[in-house]
């Protein structure tokens, strides 16, 4: 039967729905389509042939092996059996998901380990379930996908402001409901109440059907049971659990995951598979980074007025005075340290903390205990807000946690700075050395890290802080190399210095893009280095490219998806995007959906205090020059390879990429690129 999907958010709807169960939109027949947001986004590959009987070299591989799959499985198996991490770059078409699962399962079944498969997107975790289902045809195996509470809570979904609730608030709201349910009191959660009675049925459903995350949520809801809590209960029974990155990167969520898997005291019992591993380090840095903005501080100070009495945080120091002086300290440091027209000053010392301590005559442990009092007051205030039905965390509590993080971020692992924007000054702590995840990864005996763009592999291991003796392996794509052509031109660049020097550079770049787009009748993707570059060139391109044009919208994912769907449905359109964005990475464009890519500039990260600090850190650790390579060159190359990688997704795809930047000459070998002075002519001939 054909599924029905909400036109607004593209979620799957049960039959005869009056309201979208995901976004809460009211539905009439015109609001329902038979296409989900992910439909058509997956590759339409040739079906792979299932094996008739078990392959003794790869007992968990359900397909006839192709290319170097048996080598990959054997290499992974050997590394895991030796208790080592294995770091793999393997080209498109090598079947990364199936080979890592096949090898991982062989090791995990033998050793009694649980596989935790880290994915970046829901479609990747759905792919894990599809492959497990195929494996189940030849071997007993089970798997489950986990998503956050905000995707799976049927009780609160559809209520006012649901989409803007923070995970923390939703967790508190849920906890309150569950505690009432457990006490048998009124006002509990009816979906939680049914877990015990439904657990066997849902277990059987998952074991037999390998549902995607969406399918499992719908099944649970149909049976009146909470999908999120059910998955928590079930996960220890399954061989493979697919989870988003944050389940490992956040220390709190990770410890819950380990407890739910019964691995709390036994991290060695986990076999980790990291999909799209080139994203892991940045995701880990982002996880630990934070800001304290002016609005939050102001709101917390205002909130003090709503509290009874004038509570003190230390000796005679009131909460309001303490937070008020925190705000003054930020402002004073800004006045003293920021020069005219400067937007940022790196704080190499604990200026803010010192000011607070001097003002109130505190020692550092006094400051810490005062901040703990702020958190206590904040928590009490949050309880009142929740009881009142405000469904939000107190600003005092949020600020208290961030002040605590700020004090503990005074280390080489963070770049702490004071920044100013149109809303005023704020504090920023950017993590440059994600020690948390390194520590965890080094505590487990082996994991599989894989990606299509991970070279240089030793750099990945170093940046991640992996100790021991990881195994490095590179496997080429099995697709015919002649199906792909990468060219570059040497008479333009997006280098800022050159663009400032040469007033005609922007126009020459625009002219190149328009000429190339108009030279072939093929679906074309144009990748820019940033949204601001794309915006700058948009007016010219809109009037000079004679095609249907589609744009990635920087803060509007839904609109981007609609534009993308329209682009994919046609065969002679141009989609304008940025490198490193959701379109340039992780999306498949098989066959004629994409044939031509134009890369405008080399996507070196923009200079920033974090970049400089990271570069200096790697220079110091690994030798002069390594910092630039690790923090600028390698990320830029990965982004270009990801963008070029969109062209060839199946064995019959043909595609060409043209890089509009003379600096590509430095990366001829890594990109397999050739110089041309007639890219439009070359493109016409390639596609003729
Ligand atoms: Fe929502 Fe489940 Fe919590 Fe009930 S138990 S509030 S359905 S997450």
């Amino acid at each position: 039967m054909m599924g029905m999907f909400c036109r607004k958010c593209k979620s799957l709807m049960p039959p005869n729905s009056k309201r979208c169960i995901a976004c809460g939109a009211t539905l009439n027949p015109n609001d329902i389509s038979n296409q989900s947001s992910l439909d058509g986004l997956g590759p339409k590959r040739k079906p792979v042939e299932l094996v008739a009987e078990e392959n003794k070299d790869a007992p968990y591989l359900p397909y006839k092996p192709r290319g170097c799959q048996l080598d990959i499985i054997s290499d992974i198996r050997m590394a895991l059996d030796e208790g080592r991490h294995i770091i793999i770059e393997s080209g498109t078409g090598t079947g990364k998901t199936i080979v890592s699962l096949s090898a991982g399962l062989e090791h995990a079944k033998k050793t009694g380990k649980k596989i935790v498969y880290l994915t970046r997107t829901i479609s990747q975790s759905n792919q894990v379930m599809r492959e497990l289902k195929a494996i189940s045809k030849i071997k007993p195996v089970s798997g489950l996908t986990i998503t956050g509470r905000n995707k799976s809570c049927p009780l609160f979904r559809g209520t006012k402001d649901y989409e803007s609730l923070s995970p923390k608030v939703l967790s508190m709201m849920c906890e309150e409901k569950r505690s009432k349910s457990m006490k048998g009191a009124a006002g509990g959660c009816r979906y939680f109440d049914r877990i015990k009675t439904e657990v066997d049925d849902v277990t059987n459903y998952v074991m037999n059907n390998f549902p995607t995350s969406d399918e499992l949520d719908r099944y649970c809801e149909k049976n009146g049971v909470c999908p999120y809590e059910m998955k928590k209960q079930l996960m220890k029974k399954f061989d493979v659990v697919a989870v988003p990155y944050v389940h490992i990167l956040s220390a709190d969520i990770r410890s819950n995951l380990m407890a739910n898997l019964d691995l709390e005291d036994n991290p060695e019992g986990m076999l980790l598979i990291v999909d799209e591993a080139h994203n892991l380090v940045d995701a880990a840095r982002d996880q630990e980074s934070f800001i304290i903005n002016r609005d939050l501080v102001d709101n917390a100070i205002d909130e003090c007025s709503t509290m009874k009495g004038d509570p003190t945080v230390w000796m005679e120091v009131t909460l309001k005075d303490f937070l008020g002086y925190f705000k003054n300290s930020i402002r004073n440091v800004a006045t003293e340290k920021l020069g005219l027209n400067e937007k940022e000053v790196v704080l190499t010392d604990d200026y803010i903390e010192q000011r607070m301590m001097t003002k109130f005559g505190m020692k550092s442990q006094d400051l810490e205990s005062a901040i703990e009092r702020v958190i206590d007051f904040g928590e009490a205030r949050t309880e009142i807000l929740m009881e009142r039905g405000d469904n939000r965390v107190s600003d005092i509590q949020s600020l208290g946690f961030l002040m605590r993080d700020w004090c503990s971020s005074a280390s080489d692992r963070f770049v702490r700075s004071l920044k100013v924007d149109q809303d005023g000054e704020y504090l920023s702590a950017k993590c440059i050395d994600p020690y948390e995840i390194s520590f965890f990864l080094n505590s487990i005996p082996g994991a599989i890290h894989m990606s299509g763009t991970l070279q240089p592999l030793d750099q990945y291991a170093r940046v991640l802080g992996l100790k021991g003796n990881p195994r490095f392996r590179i496997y080429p794509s099995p697709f015919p190399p002649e199906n792909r052509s990468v060219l570059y031109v040497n008479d333009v660049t997006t280098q800022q210095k050159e663009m400032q020097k040469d007033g005609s550079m922007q126009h020459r770049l625009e002219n190149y893009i328009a000429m190339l787009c108009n030279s072939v009748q093929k679906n074309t993707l144009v990748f820019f280095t940033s949204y601001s570059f794309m915006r700058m060139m948009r007016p010219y391109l809109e009037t000079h490219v004679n095609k249907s044009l589609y744009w990635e919208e920087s803060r509007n994912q839904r609109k981007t998806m609609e534009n993308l769907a329209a682009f994919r449905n046609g065969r002679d359109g141009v989609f304008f995007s940025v490198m490193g964005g959701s379109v340039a990475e992780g999306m498949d464009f098989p066959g004629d959906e994409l044939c031509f890519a134009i890369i405008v500039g080399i996507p070196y990260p923009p200079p920033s205090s974090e970049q400089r600090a990271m570069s200096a850190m790697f220079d110091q650790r690994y030798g002069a020059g390594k910092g630039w390579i690790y923090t600028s060159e390698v990320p830029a190359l990965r982004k270009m390879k990801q963008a070029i990688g969109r062209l060839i997704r199946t064995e019959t795809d043909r595609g060409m990429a043209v890089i509009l930047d003379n600096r590509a000459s430095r990366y001829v070998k890594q990109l397999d690129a050739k110089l041309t002075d007639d890219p439009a002519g070359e493109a016409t001939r390639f596609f003729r």
Side-chain angles (χ1 to χ4, degrees):
M1 195 179 91
M2 193 174 280
M4 305 305 279
F5 299 88
C6 169
R7 273 204 201 284
K8 192 169 162 223
C9 73
K10 315 285 189 209
S11 295
L12 182 62
M13 297 294 107
N16 305 321
S17 302
K18 298 274 184 297
R19 181 178 281 276
C20 171
I21 54 174
C23 71
T26 43
L27 302 173
N28 64 50
N30 295 334
D31 289 328
I32 300 174
S33 83
N34 56 17
Q35 189 158 49
S36 85
S37 58
L38 295 174
D39 275 357
L41 298 188
K44 294 174 187 111
R45 296 199 173 97
K46 238 168 53 181
V48 219
E49 221 177 316
L50 285 169
V51 289
E53 58 187 44
E54 184 183 307
N55 181 333
K56 64 177 176 8
D57 293 323
Y60 285 85
L61 182 66
Y63 312 123
K64 287 202 172 149
R66 52 165 211 245
C68 49
Q69 286 185 329
L70 288 182
D71 292 336
I72 308 179
I73 290 172
S74 157
D75 286 342
I76 296 177
R77 189 173 44 215
M78 201 181 299
L80 295 177
D81 289 349
E82 289 169 2
R84 294 161 71 185
H85 288 249
I86 178 160
I87 299 167
I88 297 172
E89 175 175 299
S90 84
T92 313
T94 44
K96 287 184 275 295
T97 311
I98 191 61
V99 292
S100 60
L101 281 172
S102 303
L105 278 164
E106 211 181 321
H107 174 81
K109 290 276 187 180
K110 204 163 55 187
T111 53
K113 289 183 185 173
K114 291 258 174 244
I115 296 183
V116 172
Y117 196 112
L118 287 192
T119 63
R120 248 187 98 204
T121 62
I122 290 181
S123 60
Q124 282 163 350
S125 64
N126 292 344
Q127 174 68 9
V128 172
M129 296 307 283
R130 279 193 287 274
E131 299 295 23
L132 287 172
K133 190 172 186 173
I135 296 172
S136 74
K137 306 266 191 279
I138 53 166
K139 284 275 189 192
V141 69
S142 59
L144 183 69
T145 58
I146 307 292
T147 44
R149 199 185 260 108
N150 58 344
K151 291 218 164 40
S152 307
C153 169
L155 187 71
F156 289 114
R157 192 194 296 134
T159 57
K160 189 170 157 281
D161 297 334
Y162 173 77
E163 286 181 22
S164 57
L165 290 178
S166 72
K168 173 136 187 95
V169 170
L170 192 55
S171 158
M172 291 168 82
M173 289 159 69
C174 168
E175 200 175 310
E176 194 211 338
K177 290 283 178 192
R178 276 185 291 133
S179 111
K180 285 183 179 156
S181 273
M182 283 188 281
K183 287 181 201 147
C189 174
R190 64 183 184 281
Y191 294 98
F192 182 74
D193 295 340
R194 286 179 60 84
I195 285 186
K196 270 200 191 119
T197 50
E198 296 297 320
V199 69
D200 290 342
D201 178 64
V202 178
T203 307
N204 285 336
Y205 170 72
V206 183
M207 293 275 183
N208 294 322
N209 295 284
F210 296 85
T212 62
S213 140
D214 213 29
E215 286 164 348
L216 178 54
D217 286 359
R218 301 291 93 89
Y219 184 85
C220 287
E221 285 180 49
K222 197 179 85 198
N223 289 292
V225 64
C226 170
Y228 180 79
E229 292 295 325
M230 181 60 92
K231 289 175 201 172
K232 267 169 64 181
Q233 298 248 332
L234 292 188
M235 64 171 90
K236 60 174 79 71
K237 298 182 184 172
F238 286 80
D239 300 320
V240 181
V241 179
V243 299
Y245 273 27
V246 69
H247 281 67
I248 288 296
L249 296 181
S250 153
D252 290 345
I253 303 178
R254 185 173 67 232
S255 89
N256 286 337
L257 176 74
M258 299 301 273
N260 290 327
L261 286 170
D262 268 351
L263 296 176
E264 224 167 357
D265 305 315
N266 175 27
E268 301 82 22
M270 171 194 285
L271 166 55
L272 195 66
I273 301 180
V274 187
D275 200 0
E276 302 287 341
H278 62 278
N279 293 302
L280 188 67
V281 177
D282 278 347
R285 287 188 191 125
D286 287 347
Q287 182 66 35
E288 290 197 54
S289 301
F290 62 93
I291 61 164
I292 304 181
N293 68 36
R294 169 96 167 256
D295 273 357
L296 177 66
V297 180
D298 283 342
N299 292 343
I301 294 169
D302 288 349
E303 203 178 2
C304 293
S305 331
T306 64
M307 298 184 76
K308 283 206 187 102
D310 212 359
T312 55
V313 291
W314 185 76
M315 311 263 287
E316 304 295 308
V317 182
T318 66
L319 175 64
K320 191 168 185 177
D321 282 349
F322 186 69
L323 298 186
Y325 196 73
F326 179 64
K327 176 180 167 172
N328 284 348
S329 305
I330 297 173
R331 192 173 283 164
N332 292 342
V333 172
T335 313
E336 285 167 26
K337 304 268 172 203
L338 273 177
L340 197 65
N341 294 329
E342 276 184 349
K343 300 270 181 242
E344 178 183 10
V345 58
V346 175
L347 302 176
T348 49
D349 217 332
D350 51 354
Y351 298 107
I352 306 282
E353 296 91 318
Q354 286 299 340
R355 274 171 186 273
M356 303 280 292
M357 289 191 284
T358 308
K359 165 77 179 170
F360 298 116
M362 291 170 164
K363 296 198 175 74
S364 67
Q365 61 267 38
D366 303 327
L367 181 66
E368 280 166 25
S369 58
I371 291 172
E372 291 306 317
R373 289 287 288 159
V374 174
I375 294 171
D376 292 344
F377 287 128
E379 282 175 345
R381 172 94 190 124
T382 300
E383 270 176 40
I384 296 170
L385 291 170
M386 301 295 283
E387 273 165 25
R388 217 163 64 184
D390 265 5
N391 294 343
R392 66 184 176 88
V393 173
S394 134
D395 293 313
I396 296 174
Q397 184 183 348
S398 304
L399 180 58
F401 280 128
L402 288 172
M403 287 172 84
R404 181 161 75 186
D405 290 347
W406 178 260
C407 292
S408 59
S409 68
S411 80
D412 294 348
R413 297 204 306 114
F414 286 85
V415 174
R416 303 198 316 161
S417 59
L418 192 145
K419 300 187 183 186
V420 64
D421 64 11
Q422 69 279 9
D423 298 324
E425 55 281 335
Y426 64 97
L427 297 177
S428 155
K430 286 270 182 191
C431 174
I432 57 168
D433 186 11
Y435 171 77
E436 255 287 323
I437 187 66
S438 313
F439 183 78
F440 175 73
L441 287 173
N442 285 316
S443 76
I444 55 174
I448 307 167
H449 308 248
M450 56 179 183
S451 161
T453 52
L454 212 51
Q455 291 192 63
L457 304 181
D458 60 337
Q459 180 262 3
Y460 171 83
R462 282 176 164 184
V463 172
L464 201 50
L466 273 187
K467 298 204 168 66
N469 182 17
R471 198 156 199 220
F472 302 123
R473 284 291 181 271
I474 297 165
Y475 308 97
S477 165
F479 300 155
E482 62 277 15
N483 283 1
R484 195 190 83 144
S485 170
V486 180
L487 305 172
Y488 72 96
V489 296
N490 67 358
D491 55 349
V492 284
T493 179
T494 60
Q495 192 176 18
Q496 205 181 11
K497 200 172 66 188
E498 293 297 319
M499 288 194 74
Q500 280 163 353
K501 213 163 67 185
D502 181 348
S504 70
M505 188 67 82
Q506 180 182 335
H507 178 65
R508 280 158 51 209
L509 281 161
E510 290 168 342
N511 200 25
Y512 253 135
I513 301 169
M515 182 175 69
L516 285 165
C517 288
N518 291 330
S519 68
V520 296
Q521 258 121 49
K522 296 283 177 190
N523 259 10
T524 301
L525 252 166
V526 181
F527 294 103
F528 294 91
T529 50
S530 68
Y531 286 108
S532 60
F533 234 97
M534 185 163 83
R535 273 195 294 273
M536 190 169 82
M537 298 196 178
R538 186 166 176 167
Y540 180 91
L541 297 171
E542 282 183 328
T543 51
H544 289 79
V545 179
N546 312 315
K547 302 270 182 93
S548 301
L549 307 187
Y550 308 92
W551 302 85
E552 180 169 349
E553 305 288 342
S554 66
R555 284 197 192 84
N556 192 339
Q557 180 75 356
R558 193 166 290 164
K559 182 80 185 124
T560 298
M561 286 300 152
E562 280 170 21
N563 294 348
L564 195 60
F567 165 72
R568 301 166 75 117
N569 280 336
R571 285 297 173 265
D572 187 20
V574 183
F575 192 95
F576 297 92
S577 178
V578 291
M579 275 174 277
S582 55
V583 176
E585 299 197 13
M587 271 191 197
D588 277 330
F589 295 88
D592 291 344
E593 285 187 13
L594 178 65
C595 299
F596 197 26
I598 301 165
I599 294 179
V600 188
I602 310 289
Y604 296 122
S608 67
S609 48
E610 298 89 71
Q611 280 293 120
R612 282 189 288 277
M614 265 194 295
S615 185
M617 178 178 79
F618 290 128
D619 273 350
Q620 199 200 6
R621 280 187 196 169
Y622 302 117
K626 288 286 191 253
W628 157 256
I629 295 172
Y630 287 12
T631 60
S632 295
E633 200 160 67
V634 169
L637 264 168
R638 279 191 190 134
K639 280 187 186 174
M640 284 198 286
K641 285 183 178 179
Q642 282 286 334
I644 295 168
R646 300 307 102 203
L647 289 168
I648 308 286
R649 309 309 288 176
T650 74
E651 47 277 89
T652 53
D653 286 0
R654 290 187 82 239
M656 171 179 270
V658 177
I659 304 168
L660 301 179
D661 200 308
N662 55 25
R663 291 170 293 174
S665 61
R666 300 173 195 167
Y667 311 119
V668 164
K669 198 163 151 238
Q670 293 95 322
L671 298 171
D672 195 14
K674 293 184 189 66
L675 176 65
T676 178
D677 56 7
D678 178 21
E682 296 259 15
T684 313
R685 285 188 287 282
F686 182 83
F687 290 114
R688 190 153 54 203

